[in-house]
Amino acid sequence: MLVLAPVLILGLSGIIFGAILAYASKIFSVKVDPRIDEIYEVLPGSNCGACGAPGCLGYAECIVTGRSEMDLCSPGGEDVLKIIAEILGTEAKEFVKMKAVVQCKGGKEEAKQLFEYNGIEDCSAAELVAGGGKACVYGCLGLGSCVRACPYNAMFMGPSELPVVIEELCTGCGLCVKACPRDIMKLVPVTQKIYLCCVSKDKGKAVKDVCTVGCTGCTLCANPKTTPSGDIVMDGNLPVINFTKNINLAAAVHKCPTNSFVQEIEFEPLGINENCDKCADKTAQLCVKTCPVKNCITLNEEKDIYRINQETCIGCRLCKPVCPKDAVELKTEEEVVVK
Amino acid sequence: MDLKLLLIIAIYSIFIQNFVLTRFLGLCPFIGVSKKMSSAVGMGFAVIFVMTLASAVTWFVYNYFLDPTSSILKYFSSNGTAPDLTFLRTIAFILVIASLVQFIEMFIQKTSPSLYRALGIYLPLITTNCAVFGVAVLNIDGNPTIGIEEKFTFIQSVVQGFSAGIGFLIILVLMSGLREKLEIKEVPESLKGVPIAFITAGLMAIAFLGFSGLSL
């Protein structure tokens, strides 16, 4: 009896509870769309919140119920988007991979310091207290809120107290953009290799007083002479880049007196071939006049044609369309080496 | 019913013999879920809910099946005495609490999706929580310090379960508030995160020791 009773009681209650639970799971079963689980399986699972939904499961639910677009998962990128589209049975949209950029160059060397900020190590806190130690009210506060917000360790604080984005690790989730109280972080397409590195809305002198690399709004870059394509337009005191795939703004970068742009690729230098007839009329010098670099295109006395100095050429290609003889061409690698 | 005794039980299990800081029960969620105020509140309410129900259900299980003096089993045995099954209380209580929590989870999911979303992820965490099991055991152990030598009555059990949950909620909310503040404070590198939380928990336990001087 003493052995049998506990075995019976526990065994019976186990069976009863099991039966009740099995029955209850049928009565109380909630039908869940199987696609939610399927999509959840392919999402990265880091719950970063870049899509705006509470976690990956929440986003999967939002996609299936139609509350969200399916291309909001930036960490997942194109691969995930394709699988999601397949699960939903729709066409995937073209996916533009984004990266975060830091739109401020004013490190501790370049930007003027008003006072030393000793408060909480957080940009939002500094912004609330006294706008941080920097004299520029638009510039990076340098306390690394964006670095702490990054779930992928794709950011670190550089030597000049400015955040640096490691492009290979950046998924373009945009959490740093939300963390920055001054809107210095921005998402741009990964193919965009040039961007303005200043967000100051102030006029020239006010910017110059607080920072050596701030955009003064001089409009040189937006000048049709520098950017004939019209890809840079002024919006207030800041130039805005209208990004297209085949953008070449080397001339604008070169012309910028404060060096406020960031350009991540080197453009290939150009050369002039034998077609050059020095524009027949020697006073024309069309290519020399358009070239934004001083003394880059000069007359070669020996061959009696114009030559592009390979050392100084920035590859802006402004001289190419103005040449009536079509003599400006891209140098092949061999020629560049031989010079 | 002695209302004064119920009040004493409540004050004892909330402050004087707080389940987390004096009895050291339920320390896992105390450290694990106290990082954010919102999740701490969610967990706290889930614990109140489960503790109250578990107290009620385990009281019935103990008194009608395990305890020989009041067991219904004696009506089925030939000599009119029920076997003493009190040694089964641990496994029986765990069985009951686990199935109860599972059942409640399913019930809430069907009837109130919003409540399910609020408690949902915390409910399964409590299935085998030692604080929930602890309150069930303490209900049958009695509490000599407040003059209850034998097991608690049904009402007393439910009151103890409910107020133990309240005590748990208070501590969890206090702790999460402190930890949210600690996040932005300058803490020595080696103490960042959980170590400083343990130190904070220790200091809170010392502070709660002060309640032991309360005479009711």
Side-chain angles (χ1 to χ4, degrees):
Chain A
M1 182 65 185
L2 199 61
V3 182
L4 210 61
V7 173
L8 270 179
I9 292 238
L10 279 185
L12 274 178
S13 46
I15 291 170
I16 291 169
F17 286 136
I20 291 175
L21 284 182
Y23 189 61
S25 73
K26 275 210 174 142
I27 297 182
F28 298 127
S29 71
V30 178
K31 283 206 177 71
V32 182
D33 197 322
R35 291 178 301 176
I36 294 178
D37 272 338
E38 278 176 51
I39 293 175
Y40 179 58
E41 288 282 308
V42 296
L43 289 175
S46 53
N47 295 326
C48 68
C51 51
C56 290
L57 188 59
Y59 181 51
E61 224 177 288
C62 285
I63 296 175
V64 172
T65 50
R67 272 178 288 160
S68 291
E69 291 294 322
M70 57 176 148
D71 58 347
L72 298 177
C73 183
S74 50
E78 206 172 348
D79 300 337
V80 167
L81 176 64
K82 271 184 189 157
I83 304 173
I84 293 175
E86 208 172 283
I87 294 171
L88 293 177
T90 51
E91 282 290 310
K93 280 193 224 160
E94 197 189 341
F95 189 81
V96 184
K97 188 159 167 46
M98 305 291 262
K99 66 174 176 186
V101 293
V102 185
Q103 298 183 103
C104 180
K105 264 188 177 175
K108 55 182 174 189
E109 306 268 300
E110 296 89 359
K112 208 168 134 193
Q113 208 74 15
L114 267 189
F115 58 87
E116 200 178 330
Y117 175 76
N118 259 334
I120 301 169
E121 281 276 310
D122 182 84
C123 296
S124 301
E127 173 78 0
L128 280 176
V129 176
K134 260 181 205 163
C136 176
V137 293
Y138 299 99
C140 172
L141 292 155
L143 296 168
S145 283
C146 48
V147 175
R148 284 187 292 277
C150 182
Y152 303 98
N153 292 329
M155 295 185 81
F156 64 93
M157 286 311 283
S160 59
E161 287 171 13
L162 282 178
V164 181
V165 181
I166 309 167
E167 211 186 308
E168 291 80 43
L169 296 176
C170 179
T171 61
C173 69
L175 288 182
C176 49
V177 178
K178 284 177 202 153
C180 182
R182 289 191 158 178
D183 290 339
I184 285 161
M185 301 304 302
K186 191 189 173 192
L187 288 179
V188 298
V190 276
T191 44
Q192 183 172 347
K193 298 293 184 189
I194 174 175
Y195 55 92
L196 182 70
C197 214
C198 184
V199 290
S200 174
K201 294 184 180 70
D202 277 346
K203 279 196 172 155
K205 187 163 185 319
V207 177
K208 277 232 148 137
D209 284 346
V210 294
C211 184
T212 57
V213 290
C215 172
T216 55
C218 68
T219 71
L220 268 180
C221 54
N223 193 308
K225 260 187 172 173
T226 324
T227 319
S229 57
D231 281 333
I232 299 183
V233 282
M234 293 303 291
D235 176 19
N237 286 323
L238 280 177
V240 176
I241 298 176
N242 174 25
F243 176 71
T244 51
K245 257 178 193 164
N246 301 314
I247 202 166
N248 185 340
L249 301 172
V253 176
H254 176 76
K255 277 281 180 186
C256 181
T258 47
N259 193 17
S260 305
F261 282 99
V262 163
Q263 181 182 305
E264 285 161 352
I265 41 163
E266 292 286 323
F267 290 106
E268 281 170 48
L270 299 165
I272 297 176
N273 63 20
E274 280 72 25
N275 286 350
C276 174
D277 61 351
K278 295 186 287 177
C279 296
D281 167 19
K282 281 185 185 169
T283 52
Q285 292 185 323
L286 286 172
C287 53
V288 180
K289 279 179 184 162
T290 35
C291 182
V293 189
K294 236 185 182 179
N295 294 331
C296 177
I297 305 181
T298 47
L299 190 67
N300 187 321
E301 303 284 349
E302 278 172 43
K303 289 185 182 171
D304 207 27
I305 55 170
Y306 279 99
R307 272 282 171 224
I308 295 177
N309 187 343
Q310 299 296 314
E311 301 285 338
T312 53
C313 178
I314 55 170
C316 67
R317 302 187 192 181
L318 287 185
C319 48
K320 198 168 161 43
V322 296
C323 180
K325 288 284 175 189
D326 234 355
V328 182
E329 58 183 12
L330 260 178
K331 283 261 176 183
T332 58
E333 249 173 58
E334 271 173 38
E335 281 172 308
V336 173
V337 175
V338 176
K339 268 180 210 164
Chain B
M1 188 49 62
D2 195 348
L3 278 175
K4 194 184 157 205
L5 191 60
L6 291 183
L7 192 65
I8 288 175
I9 290 173
I11 289 172
Y12 257 79
S13 33
I14 294 175
F15 295 110
I16 301 169
Q17 289 171 342
N18 184 284
F19 270 62
V20 180
L21 293 181
T22 313
R23 295 200 196 266
F24 306 121
L25 292 169
L27 291 179
C28 173
F30 173 58
I31 295 295
V33 200
S34 60
K35 257 187 151 177
K36 257 196 201 155
M37 183 72 87
S38 56
S39 49
V41 172
M43 181 72 178
F45 279 107
V47 167
I48 294 177
F49 191 64
V50 172
M51 270 187 171
T52 314
L53 276 171
S55 296
V57 176
T58 52
W59 189 89
F60 279 110
V61 170
Y62 184 80
N63 282 291
Y64 289 114
F65 291 101
L66 306 181
D67 193 347
T69 52
S70 52
S71 172
I72 54 164
L73 293 178
K74 62 185 164 197
Y75 303 113
F76 299 106
S77 67
S78 49
N79 54 5
T81 53
D84 184 4
L85 297 177
T86 47
F87 65 92
L88 279 178
R89 69 178 187 187
T90 305
I91 193 159
F93 285 1
I94 287 177
L95 182 74
V96 169
I97 293 169
S99 0
L100 177 74
V101 172
Q102 287 297 315
F103 183 81
I104 291 167
E105 198 191 341
M106 282 190 266
F107 181 73
I108 293 178
Q109 190 178 12
K110 182 77 178 178
T111 51
S112 166
S114 53
L115 184 64
Y116 176 73
R117 234 168 281 144
L119 298 181
I121 51 169
Y122 304 111
L123 272 179
L125 284 178
I126 321 167
T127 317
T128 50
N129 187 301
C130 63
V132 178
F133 175 67
V135 77
V137 172
L138 286 166
N139 283 339
I140 55 172
D141 276 354
N143 193 344
T145 38
I146 52 173
I148 304 173
E149 302 289 343
E150 287 287 306
K151 62 191 177 192
F152 281 39
T153 64
F154 178 71
I155 300 291
Q156 286 169 344
S157 295
V158 174
V159 168
Q160 164 143 302
F162 181 74
S163 44
I166 298 272
F168 187 85
L169 171 74
I170 291 173
I171 299 302
L172 216 59
V173 167
L174 286 178
M175 183 66 172
S176 60
L178 287 170
R179 282 183 78 176
E180 277 182 359
K181 284 248 174 0
L182 278 172
E183 281 283 302
I184 52 168
K185 288 284 182 288
E186 281 181 40
V187 177
E189 196 62 43
S190 51
L191 291 179
K192 267 183 186 161
V194 178
I196 195 71
F198 279 137
I199 294 173
T200 314
L203 293 174
M204 283 171 77
I206 295 173
F208 261 69
L209 203 63
F211 283 116
S212 63
L214 211 63
S215 74
L216 293 169

